[in-house]
Amino acid sequence: MNYFSSQKPFIIAGPCGIEDQQQIQEIAEELQTLPVQMMRGGVWKPRSKPGHFEGRGEDALQWLLELKKDFNLPICVEVANQEQVELALQYQVDAVWIGARSTVNPFIVQEIAEALKGSSVGVMVKNPINPDIDLWSGAIERFMNVGIENLAAIHRGFSSYDASSKYRNKPIWAIPIELKRRYKEIPIFCDISHICGNRELLASVAQRAMDLDFDGLMIETHPNPDAALSDAKQQITPAQLKILLEGLIFRQAADGSSAGEIEEIRQVLDTMDAEIVELIGKRIELVKQLGEIKAANNMPIYQAERWREIIESRTRWGIDNQLDAAFISKLFELIHDKSIQTQIAILNSLTSNR
Ligand code: PEP
Ligand code: MN
C-alpha cells in the first residue's frame, strides 16, 4: 500500500524553511497535538534572487534527526540534486519532495530518480512552475521507472505574468484533475500555501481541494510567521492551522441510498452526452459540405458577419435557457474554430489536387 494513502486527508505541515533548532522543536511539539501526518521543512531553499535565506543545509538535517528521537513525526524535505538526496537519506528523512523548479528539468528529475533508486522513502512530485501536464507526468514516470512505490503528486499552482491574479500561483484545477485521471493510484496533495501566497486565501483553497477529492494538504506553518525568513505572508501558526483544519468539510463517497440516485442521473447524463457528440459529428459533416461549396465558388472560409451572427444568436439562445453567456460563447468559439480548421483542410486538399 502506498504510504501516502495511509490516511485521508494526509496533512503535511511545517515551516517553509528550517531556521534554527528551537523553531522546529516548537513546531513539532504543537503539530503532534494536531491531525498532522508529516512535518515538512525546507533545508535547501530555492530562491528566485540571490542574497536571501537559502536554508541551513546539513545542519538542519542534523536537527531533524535529533527531533526524531523526541517526536513521533515523519519528516520530509525538498531535494534538488543527487548530493542532496544522499544527505537526506543519510539523515533518515521519511520522504522527499521535488520542487516546482526541479520538475521543469528532466535532467535533474532523472538524476534525483536514480539517486533514490532502491530506497523506500516517500517521493512527492510538485507540478512544474509552468502549466505543462506532460512535464509533470513525465517526472512522475521517471520515479515510477526506477521503482519508487511510495509516490505522490503535489499541486502547488502555476506561475503567471498576470499581476491582477489574487493567487501567487494560479491553481488551474483542470490540470491536477487530469493528472488524477491519468494516475488513479497516485495520491495527490494540494500545497495551498504556494498557491495562495497569503494567509487570507488558505481556507477557501483548502476547501476547494477537499471538494475536488484531493488526498491531502501541504501547509506552511511557523511559530512566528511574520518573522519567517522566507514566505512570511503565507505561513500560519499551528494554532491557526488547527482552526483551518477544524473548519474543513470533508466530503464522503456516496452511501447506499444516494448511490442509486447518483447512478441514475449519471446514466441520463451519459445518454445526453452521447447525443451531443453525435450532433457535433453531424454538424461537422454539414460544415464539410459547406467547405466544398465555398471552395468550388472561390469564397472565403471565414466571414466575420456570419461569425458575429453565430455568437449573438447562440448567446441569446443560451440566456433563454438560463445558461451563462460567457460559457456559451466560449463553447461556440471552440466549435467554430473546429469548423474553420475543417474547411481549411478541405480547401487545401482541393487546391493541391488541381
Ligand atoms: C517549498 O515548498 O518550500 C517550495 C519552494 O515550493 P515550490 O517548489 O512549490 O515553489
Ligand atoms: Mn515556501
Side-chain angles (χ1 to χ4, degrees), residues 16 40 45-46 78 97 99-101 126 156 191 194 220:
C16 175
R40 64 156 278 154
K45 295 303 303 169
E78 174 175 348
W97 80 83
R101 291 160 194 77
K126 286 201 177 194
R156 52 77 79 193
D191 170 353
H194 291 91
E220 287 188 339

Side-chain angles (χ1 to χ4, degrees), residues 15-17 40-42 44-46 78 97-102 126-127 129 154 156-157 168-169 191 194 218 220 230-231 234:
C16 175
R40 64 156 278 154
W44 299 278
K45 295 303 303 169
E78 174 175 348
W97 80 83
I98 315 306
R101 291 160 194 77
S102 301
K126 286 201 177 194
N127 62 262
I129 38 184
I154 303 179
R156 52 77 79 193
R168 176 176 176 193
N169 291 291
D191 170 353
H194 291 91
M218 180 182 257
E220 287 188 339
S230 56
D231 289 351
Q234 70 196 31

Side-chain angles (χ1 to χ4, degrees), residues 271-285:
T271 316
M272 282 181 172
D273 286 350
E275 284 171 7
I276 293 174
V277 172
E278 205 179 307
L279 267 178
I280 292 177
K282 286 186 184 156
R283 193 183 193 283
I284 295 268
E285 276 312 310

Side-chain angles (χ1 to χ4, degrees), residues 104-306:
V104 289
N105 183 339
F107 291 125
I108 277 295
V109 173
Q110 190 60 30
E111 176 181 319
I112 296 171
E114 271 158 33
L116 283 165
K117 196 173 180 169
S119 136
S120 60
V121 290
V123 178
M124 296 176 278
V125 185
K126 286 201 177 194
N127 62 262
I129 38 184
N130 53 324
D132 182 338
I133 187 152
D134 288 330
L135 210 43
W136 195 3
S137 55
I140 287 172
E141 281 169 25
R142 286 178 198 275
F143 290 101
M144 286 175 163
N145 289 348
V146 296
I148 300 294
E149 285 175 1
N150 297 313
L151 198 54
I154 303 179
H155 172 43
R156 52 77 79 193
F158 301 92
S159 175
S160 101
Y161 193 61
D162 175 8
S164 67
S165 171
K166 62 179 176 173
Y167 300 107
R168 176 176 176 193
N169 291 291
K170 286 191 177 177
I172 320 183
W173 298 101
I175 295 181
I177 288 171
E178 169 60 14
L179 194 90
K180 260 160 76 78
R181 197 189 59 77
R182 289 191 192 178
Y183 306 103
K184 293 187 180 49
E185 305 307 320
I186 297 184
I188 178 160
F189 303 151
C190 185
D191 170 353
I192 58 174
S193 305
H194 291 91
I195 288 179
C196 295
N198 67 71
R199 281 166 216 140
E200 290 66 38
L201 290 174
L202 291 173
S204 64
V205 173
Q207 187 59 55
R208 174 66 67 88
M210 292 299 100
D211 294 347
L212 294 173
D213 202 28
F214 273 68
D215 300 282
L217 300 171
M218 180 182 257
I219 307 162
E220 287 188 339
T221 318
H222 191 284
N224 182 6
D226 285 331
L229 299 181
S230 56
D231 289 351
K233 282 199 234 136
Q234 70 196 31
Q235 303 208 56
I236 52 175
T237 63
Q240 289 167 320
L241 175 66
K242 182 167 190 279
I243 296 171
L244 188 150
L245 294 176
E246 283 171 355
L248 286 180
I249 302 163
F250 301 116
R251 316 279 179 201
Q252 302 282 330
D255 64 14
S257 60
S258 51
E261 221 176 313
I262 288 175
E263 194 41 45
E264 244 171 63
I265 296 180
R266 282 184 173 159
Q267 279 178 11
V268 178
L269 289 176
D270 286 351
T271 316
M272 282 181 172
D273 286 350
E275 284 171 7
I276 293 174
V277 172
E278 205 179 307
L279 267 178
I280 292 177
K282 286 186 184 156
R283 193 183 193 283
I284 295 268
E285 276 312 310
L286 277 179
V287 160
K288 283 184 188 158
Q289 286 181 25
L290 186 60
E292 281 161 15
I293 300 172
K294 283 182 185 172
N297 291 288
N298 230 357
M299 286 167 69
I301 285 168
Y302 176 77
Q303 282 152 315
E305 193 44 46
R306 167 71 180 149

